[in-house]
Amino acid sequence: MILNLVKLCVGVDSVEDLQASIDFGLADKKSRGVEVIQFHTTRMVPKRADELLDGGSLYWVIKGNIQVRQYIQEIRPFTDPAGISRCRIVLEPRLIPTVWQPRRAFQGWRYLSVKDAPADLTAGDSGILALPPELRRELADLGLL
């Protein structure tokens, strides 16, 4: 059974900002000669990792709305230099825009079932993607997105 995660994307104002951050991080890793992967580090290791790795995604909450997702490729538990257990959630760097879904602030991550996850935007929704991020945010605040 497929399971997803939802997480706040702190410090990011738009999907474009998130993509720029991912691109910068991957280019930096390549220039330093380290493994070129995109991941998100968390404190807790998901207990339902098998379900996440069965085709699950990480849905990002940006400015109060789920706006985009990334496929989860791998879960890598590790211990940091301070001896604290952590987890790297390895993600496909490609962002998949979704229908916006409002979310209140929370800490950490939450599981998200397939039935509760927002749908992906399709080619028919290309007009929404063409709008500037500020306008999309204003429309979402008005409940129109």
Side-chain angles (χ1 to χ4, degrees):
M1 179 170 116
I2 298 173
L3 187 64
N4 303 297
L5 292 176
V6 62
K7 175 105 177 81
L8 297 181
C9 197
V10 179
V12 171
D13 289 329
S14 67
V15 172
E16 292 79 8
D17 286 349
L18 177 58
Q19 187 65 64
S21 175
I22 291 168
D23 293 344
F24 177 82
L26 293 174
D28 179 58
K29 288 174 184 173
K30 184 176 181 179
S31 72
R32 292 186 291 123
V34 298
E35 184 180 18
V36 182
I37 59 168
Q38 198 245 324
F39 60 84
H40 179 73
T41 302
T42 68
R43 166 82 191 224
M44 304 300 292
V45 177
K47 293 183 182 359
R48 299 173 70 182
D50 289 343
E51 293 171 89
L52 295 170
L53 295 173
D54 191 27
S57 294
L58 175 59
Y59 285 78
W60 290 109
V61 177
I62 301 171
K63 294 294 185 183
N65 290 285
I66 293 177
Q67 297 184 30
V68 70
R69 70 182 178 96
Q70 292 178 275
Y71 283 110
I72 298 171
Q73 295 181 324
E74 195 176 345
I75 307 256
R76 295 184 183 176
F78 71 100
T79 302
D80 72 11
I84 299 170
S85 295
R86 300 206 183 271
C87 177
R88 284 192 179 109
I89 300 171
V90 180
L91 303 165
E92 181 179 298
R94 180 175 61 103
L95 296 178
I96 302 165
T98 67
V99 172
W100 285 27
Q101 186 181 83
R103 286 289 162 139
R104 293 179 189 245
F106 58 91
Q107 291 186 346
W109 45 261
R110 300 286 184 267
Y111 290 114
L112 180 66
S113 68
V114 171
K115 69 176 180 59
D116 293 331
D120 293 347
L121 290 179
T122 64
D125 300 313
S126 61
I128 293 171
L129 297 174
L131 296 172
E134 306 82 31
L135 182 55
R136 287 195 311 251
R137 192 170 22 258
E138 286 182 39
L139 291 171
D141 289 345
L142 294 170
L144 300 173
L145 264 187

